[in-house]
Amino acid sequence: MRILFILLLIFQFNLLKADEINYLLKIPNLKTFSLNNKNGLKYLTAKKNFKIGVQSNISCNKLGEKNLENKFSLIKRNLDIYDYEFLKKINLRFIVLCQNLYISKINTAGIPDLNKRTLILDLKFNEKYFERVIHHEVFHLIHDSFPEIFNEEAWSNLNKKRF
Amino acid sequence: MIKKIKASTGEKILFIFLILLTITSFVFFYAIKNKCLFVDKIDLKKINFPNKNNIAIMNVECGMVIIELLPNLSPNSVERFKFFISNGDYDGSAFYRVIKNTLLQAGDLEFGNIENIDYFRVGSGKSKLGPINSEINNKFEFNAGSVGLVRGDEFNTEDSEFFILLKDVPLFKGEYTPIGKVIYGLDALTKIKSSDKTEYVLRPDFLSDLKLLEQYN
């Protein structure tokens, strides 16, 4: 039984460097960037590439400092419009900033996680519509937090039939 | 007649050097082997506790750890914690999850005791009382020595497990229920066994016992 446990440790955790952020969010290789924000949001950045999820199907890369400096004020300005109470209602507390975010090998702008109250944002995804992307991801959290008040059919009908 | 040969100066120096080397080796061997050597011992009689009803005393391999409980911040959680302590439920509990110089976790009553440790399930155990609601305090700073209740991904899932911080973790503010603060003996906790690569410790250290101060009298 102990041998099995040792093997489990080797395979499951060999690549993870344990730290307090991983303890809380189950995302390795992050560092805190900005914690004391009026609306309670806590911003973290990838200090190394990381992989999470079932069979490590979500991956994102370390952020270049320059890219972060350029984008952070933009992100903050957009997320500051949501106040503490609203963010609490939609279960958003942590913003993870990284680049080249992939889920199952598909490049994506952001991944919201209701349980962990986290939104992972790819700072390099679609630079032209980046601000819209932020609110798009926030809307996913609104939707996921209150699925009972959304009429999926009516919502889908807003799209073109071939969509 | 046997002729006495006097040692040369060089030989005398070499002899002294060898003696010093031997002494140093013994001292270092003892110091390295005894991880508790530099941990200060605590004498309960010398401490004047302002609030004796809310003091918990934990004994670990390297000494005593004194925790001041914070019922004003988290009344229900502290009451629950004191209940388990009074019952002796934490005695022999494993520090099975340790982040070196950062955090220690113990208190799995079902699978994390020295009598019944289950390496596959430790951390998933439940007490017989079931979960309680989180008592989050948005002003409490989780500094070194802070004791908090462990929860699952969601709030209101706290039960018997607790963690103790070995360093300041501002990120935890508003995330966990604070139940106490180590006021003496944090050094002893830094000696608890950890692993460099994982949070989970194979053959972990155990706390000997956890009692309320009133149980000592």
Side-chain angles (χ1 to χ4, degrees):
Chain A
M1 202 167 189
R2 282 185 178 166
I3 293 168
L4 276 171
F5 182 68
I6 294 165
L7 289 172
L8 190 76
L9 286 180
I10 292 168
F11 288 115
Q12 288 291 311
F13 306 111
N14 199 29
L15 297 172
L16 296 183
K17 178 86 173 75
D19 63 24
E20 65 276 17
I21 302 174
N22 189 43
Y23 180 87
L24 177 63
L25 298 179
K26 311 287 184 296
I27 304 175
N29 301 334
L30 299 183
K31 60 179 178 180
T32 53
F33 184 75
S34 173
L35 295 183
N36 298 317
N37 296 291
K38 207 175 171 184
N39 58 4
L41 282 179
K42 299 176 181 185
Y43 294 87
L44 304 114
T45 61
K47 60 183 178 185
K48 287 180 186 172
N49 303 348
F50 66 79
K51 284 184 178 179
I52 51 170
V54 183
Q55 297 178 326
S56 300
N57 64 328
I58 296 170
S59 67
C60 203
N61 291 350
K62 179 189 173 181
L63 211 52
E65 291 294 322
K66 224 175 186 180
N67 202 8
L68 180 62
E69 279 172 28
N70 294 339
K71 287 280 176 66
F72 180 68
S73 55
L74 182 75
I75 295 164
K76 192 172 176 331
R77 193 174 66 230
N78 277 277
L79 288 173
D80 275 353
I81 65 172
Y82 304 109
D83 67 18
Y84 177 84
E85 287 304 322
F86 178 77
L87 292 170
K88 195 175 170 187
K89 274 184 188 170
I90 66 164
N91 298 297
L92 180 58
R93 180 78 150 177
F94 304 99
I95 307 292
V96 173
L97 307 173
C98 54
Q99 63 187 31
N100 303 322
L101 177 61
Y102 281 83
I103 179 163
S104 302
K105 296 182 179 172
I106 299 165
N107 192 200
T108 185
I111 300 174
D113 183 337
L114 204 66
N115 286 332
K116 299 276 188 317
R117 298 172 299 139
T118 301
L119 172 60
I120 306 175
L121 277 178
D122 182 347
L123 265 61
K124 277 197 158 178
F125 189 92
N126 201 336
E127 309 239 345
K128 190 177 173 186
Y129 296 111
F130 187 70
E131 288 178 86
R132 284 173 67 172
V133 160
I134 295 170
H135 301 286
H136 169 92
E137 297 302 335
V138 169
F139 195 83
H140 275 304
L141 284 162
I142 300 170
H143 185 190
D144 293 344
S145 297
F146 302 96
E148 69 281 1
I149 62 170
F150 286 93
N151 183 337
E152 285 291 334
E153 203 179 332
W155 194 247
S156 298
N157 286 340
L158 291 173
N159 291 318
K160 288 177 183 171
K161 281 190 178 173
R162 283 183 296 169
F163 181 74
Chain B
M1 195 176 168
I2 298 167
K3 192 181 175 184
K4 282 187 180 175
I5 301 169
K6 281 190 177 177
S8 67
T9 312
E11 284 170 329
K12 283 177 186 170
I13 291 169
L14 184 66
F15 183 65
I16 292 166
F17 173 75
L18 284 173
I19 289 172
L20 287 174
L21 186 68
T22 310
I23 294 167
T24 315
S25 302
F26 270 106
V27 169
F28 268 88
F29 181 74
Y30 177 70
I32 289 167
K33 205 177 172 188
N34 185 358
K35 63 180 183 181
C36 305
L37 193 66
F38 298 108
V39 176
D40 291 337
K41 300 289 173 227
I42 294 166
D43 185 355
L44 279 181
K45 289 172 188 167
K46 289 181 180 172
I47 304 171
N48 185 23
F49 295 105
N51 189 355
K52 291 184 179 180
N53 294 330
N54 287 304
I55 298 293
I57 298 162
M58 180 191 292
N59 277 296
V60 294
E61 189 184 349
C62 286
M64 202 175 260
V65 181
I66 299 176
I67 301 166
E68 182 183 4
L69 302 173
L70 306 169
N72 293 341
L73 291 183
S74 319
N76 295 332
S77 305
V78 170
E79 190 186 335
R80 164 72 68 98
F81 192 60
K82 284 170 84 170
F83 174 81
F84 289 135
I85 295 174
S86 305
N87 265 5
D89 291 337
Y90 288 126
D91 298 355
S93 194
F95 289 105
Y96 73 92
R97 196 174 183 189
V98 181
I99 304 174
K100 199 174 184 178
N101 299 322
T102 304
L103 178 150
L104 310 157
Q105 183 174 322
D108 182 336
L109 304 185
E110 195 174 7
F111 303 121
N113 192 277
I114 195 165
E115 303 289 335
N116 64 355
I117 189 155
D118 182 333
Y119 288 112
F120 280 98
R121 294 192 281 181
V122 65
S124 64
K126 292 174 175 60
S127 77
K128 287 171 185 169
L129 301 181
I132 54 170
N133 287 342
S134 305
E135 291 177 293
I136 300 300
N137 185 299
N138 285 323
K139 288 182 180 167
F140 182 83
E141 301 283 350
F142 277 88
N143 294 328
S146 297
V147 185
L149 280 190
V150 171
R151 61 168 171 83
D153 285 344
E154 293 174 11
F155 288 105
N156 308 324
T157 54
E158 287 84 346
D159 193 352
S160 62
E161 289 199 58
F162 62 92
F163 66 81
I164 304 174
L165 291 180
L166 302 177
K167 71 169 192 181
D168 300 351
V169 181
L171 187 70
F172 282 11
K173 188 176 172 181
E175 301 301 325
Y176 292 101
T177 299
I179 53 167
K181 191 106 187 163
V182 174
I183 50 175
Y184 295 98
L186 201 59
D187 278 2
L189 291 174
T190 62
K191 306 296 178 188
I192 300 288
K193 187 179 173 187
S194 64
S195 164
D196 283 332
K197 291 207 166 180
T198 82
E199 294 175 4
Y200 296 90
V201 186
L202 185 64
R203 292 191 195 138
D205 285 347
F206 297 86
L207 65 89
S208 308
D209 57 63
L210 181 54
K211 289 185 168 63
L212 295 169
L213 180 63
E214 58 205 40
Q215 292 176 290
Y216 271 79
N217 300 327

